[in-house]
Amino acid sequence: MKDIAELALDVAVSSGASYADCRVVQRGVQALSVKDGSFAAVSSFEDEGVGIRVIVDGAWGFAGVDRLDSDSLGEAARTACRIARASSRLRRQAVRLAPCPVAVGEYRTPIGRDPFEVSLEEKMDLLIRADEAMASVEGVTTHEASLEFVREHRLFASSEGSVVEQVLVQSGGGMDATATSADDVQTRSFPNSFGRHQVCAGYEAIEGLDLAGSAPRIAAEAVALLSAPPCPTGRLTLILDGTQAALQVHESCGHPTELDRVRGDEAAYAGTSFLTPDLVGRFRYGSEQVTITADATTPGGLGTYGWDDEGVEAQRTVLVDRGLFRGYMSSRETAADYGWQSSGAMRAESWNRIPLIRMTNVNLEPGQSSLEEMIASTEHGVYLQTNRSWSIDDRRLNFQFGTQNGWEIRDGRPVRLVKNALYAGRTPEFWRSCDAVAGPSEWRVWGVVNCGKGQPSQLMHVGHGAAPCRFRGVAVTAAS
Amino acid sequence: MSLSAPDDLLALADGILERVGRDRAEVVVVEQEEGLTRFARNQIHQNVAERSRRFRLRLMGDEQVGVAEIRGDVDDLAGRLVAAAEAARRLSPPGDVTPLPRPDAGPDGPVAYSAATAACTPEWRADQVATVAAVSAMAGLEAFGALETSLTHTAVANSLGVRRHAESTAASLVCVTRGENGWGYADRHHHDAAGIDAEAMTAEAVETCGRNQGAVPIEPGVYPVVLSPYAVADLVGHLSDLGFSALAHQEHRSFMRAGEKLMSSLVSIADDASHPGGMPFPFDDEGVSTRCVSCIEEGVCRSFVHDSATALREDVPSTGHALPMPNTFGPWARHLVVSPGESSLEELIAGCDGGLYVTRLWYVRDVHPLRTVITGMTRDGTFLIESGRLGRPVRDLRFTQSIVDALAEVSGVGRERSIELDENERAMLVPALGIGRFAFTS
């Protein structure tokens, strides 16, 4: 891989690049799914290619190619330079990069059982048991369980002398049970919605999910939701489970603290941000209970690595400190605009995409409370679990989220299952209403596998550590 | 740009099938070159190109299926592909296996293809963006957006004799313009890059932006609206995903009730992959010819789109709407066409006094799938309609609205249509719509 990168860099520099970097990526994905006891699919995806990024005449160019012979690499490097020259026709200020130390090293995801060495029989048996356990519940219409494993071997090299090689492994799994009636459809997912829960870990992460053990409960909840009353309406106390708290953090803190959004780089697609730089250190984003960090060193997180896709070392950045807005996730280019150092958050979906500022693991740090304590001290509220719908405006202020499952709380006890819960608000008012976050024993790193950004579009896997948390006076209603 | 010749891609597919031997198998080869020039603040800030070729092998047994994909020019690609698919198939538990389709003699056309798009260069894209920037700067505005051009070769072959090939192109220019106190939006999509008038498109975004300065808040509530084609695309895309698929119907989660009138008689929606005004493409991911399916006809629910799996369950022919098989997602309508009406945009607006004109919807998500309730925001230009014309701009609003209920209240349909992309980058041909009631919730 190093030879491939060196060849590409040599051609780029000799073609006029003042800076060049190269990512050589080999990626393997294995996916298994079963559905309704009669559908089963096993698939594999092997991907290999090179992405070459250059600065020529003060502007960026990029070319990706899936052929690793010297002719193709040379052509791609020259194409990247040609593209940069075309960019320079419409560039008023030359690209500047914040300095970073030359990086040399290796990183491998710590794993127990290599998921690619676990037999397909063992994996399929796990899925079949989970699917059969869901099927055993009367009233379930469809049921599905799936697993996904990813191994990515990545080498980054730059014209500044950085060479880092990483092997990143992910394991993910999940299941959905759906129940239908003449006028309703209800789905319960476990451990998370949108297909699965995924982490940077080995097969031990899948074993720890106990899909078959949880399957009957999930299926029974889907059926029960059909006859459950709608979520009550009003300004209520709201308790979110860890999965929903993770998504709340993702949408309302992770995205607005991406510095490229602040610059307007994403204005035409993903949007901008209400967190402008003049607010750093001055703006009350949330209550004292709220501390949010971006941490590419969180064990097991989907956003955990050794170096980002610019060769900047993984690090922890405080975004919100006891409610006060403190900082951003950044790149070498965006950080240079403000005289900062990069926070090491540049990530590309694969070799064929440029790196963009993406979330690493954006974590709501654990607090002092517990779910039990939060419920016990709630007079009237709802406890919501597992995301069902999510929508937020392009500046990340006005949001509305819905969940699969809800429990109405009265006088400190969950009293009845409710369905179709929706809650809405504005980001800073919402986070300022947070009066409790559960502690470390209930804190867990969740994975989001469908974060979209960029043109052409890229999907990124990001992590969020979160625990159950409580908010006061939130507008809650039911979808109808 | 230049990719492999059609015969070369089919020959590669044939070579893999030969390697498979006597087993039943399907090979899909997709080769693509794309370039995208992105701009912000009237400057090019990202500029990319990619070339790739991807192979997919589906290996069939009587009760087992295995799938393997490779992207990249790896050693012994055919051997690795076959070995991986065989390993997957061997260890896949027995289940229902939908047979491979047989050849259906459909033509490999029409296809949205333009030699001009295939020949686009980074310099050409930069020149177009320079035009966008110049028009915006003349108006004192900043432009943000992207210009993308792509060339795709697709070949599908299976051991029962299916052999399909198509060469397609696409060009898209998207732009938001920013003033002191508001934004405007416009886009253009076409298979022919020469058919995209960057200057005219930017002028539209500039004009909207100019109107959208100093937006005022209004009370949420139920309003009559005129939705631009940009907004209609999101509505129609979500409606399709909530019910046009035969799998959704078979799993009892489609809103569609065949034969029942759920919407205004002014509303007709089909999936028509051969429509000359859209982005035509002749076959699906199984190589089955894509037929025109009338999903909503004058407000009445009609037909569903099928792949071979859903078709087998109902003993009907596939309509050619398969995604890569097998999958649990089901068939997908990819060429939605909304029938035009008789009204100009000005007439729709004039007939909506006291209502709102919505340029664009944003971050639309399903809230209650069976009732087709969606939520999202307006964006980049929402205006009061006052005295039958566009009036004061209003601050963006959140809506929570049943699509079916909204389409039941359609009061007028535009006669002009444009190709728009929804959030899944699916091209559809849509007009503007006048809708009598649309609920804004915050």
Side-chain angles (χ1 to χ4, degrees), chain B residues 38-52:
Chain B
R38 206 171 183 206
F39 50 98
R41 303 174 300 281
N42 291 342
Q43 302 179 77
I44 294 173
H45 70 301
Q46 292 168 9
N47 205 347
V48 303
E50 172 197 348
R51 181 180 175 139
S52 66

Side-chain angles (χ1 to χ4, degrees), chain A residues 125-138:
Chain A
D125 176 66
L126 183 148
L127 288 181
I128 291 171
R129 285 188 291 112
D131 191 53
E132 286 176 346
M134 286 188 282
S136 70
V137 174
E138 192 178 331

Side-chain angles (χ1 to χ4, degrees), chain B residues 267-324:
Chain B
V267 177
S268 294
I269 306 172
D271 190 86
D272 186 355
S274 64
H275 196 291
M279 305 277 274
F281 196 85
F283 53 84
D284 69 5
D285 287 303
E286 290 188 286
V288 174
S289 295
T290 304
R291 296 196 277 121
C292 181
V293 176
S294 176
C295 300
I296 305 290
E297 197 172 302
E298 295 179 358
V300 178
C301 302
R302 287 297 179 210
S303 303
F304 299 92
V305 298
H306 279 276
D307 58 26
S308 52
T310 58
L312 185 67
R313 279 185 216 122
E314 296 183 27
D315 196 23
V316 297
S318 168
T319 59
H321 287 84
L323 290 169

Side-chain angles (χ1 to χ4, degrees), chain B residues 155-172:
Chain B
V156 181
N158 75 22
S159 51
L160 299 184
V162 169
R163 291 183 98 247
R164 310 296 298 268
H165 172 267
E167 191 177 9
S168 56
T169 57
S172 289

Side-chain angles (χ1 to χ4, degrees), chain A residues 24 33 40 67 86 99 106 109 170 212 258 266 302 368 373 391 396 398 405 418 452:
Chain A
V24 185
S33 63
R67 287 158 218 206
E106 295 182 1
T109 299
Q170 297 180 14
E258 293 165 350
E266 289 287 326
L302 286 180
Q368 312 288 325
E373 200 174 281
S391 176
R396 301 284 152 172
N398 178 319
N405 215 37
V418 294

Side-chain angles (χ1 to χ4, degrees), chain A residues 35 46-47 263 267 390, chain B residues 41 71 80 251 365 379:
Chain A
K35 185 174 178 181
E46 274 186 61
D47 187 19
R263 263 188 6 158
W390 74 108
Chain B
R41 303 174 300 281
R71 181 172 66 179
R80 281 164 74 157
E251 292 182 346
R365 292 292 182 271
R379 188 178 160 178

Side-chain angles (χ1 to χ4, degrees), chain B residues 165-182:
Chain B
H165 172 267
E167 191 177 9
S168 56
T169 57
S172 289
L173 178 57
V174 172
C175 173
V176 291
T177 48
R178 177 171 69 182
E180 281 285 325
N181 200 10

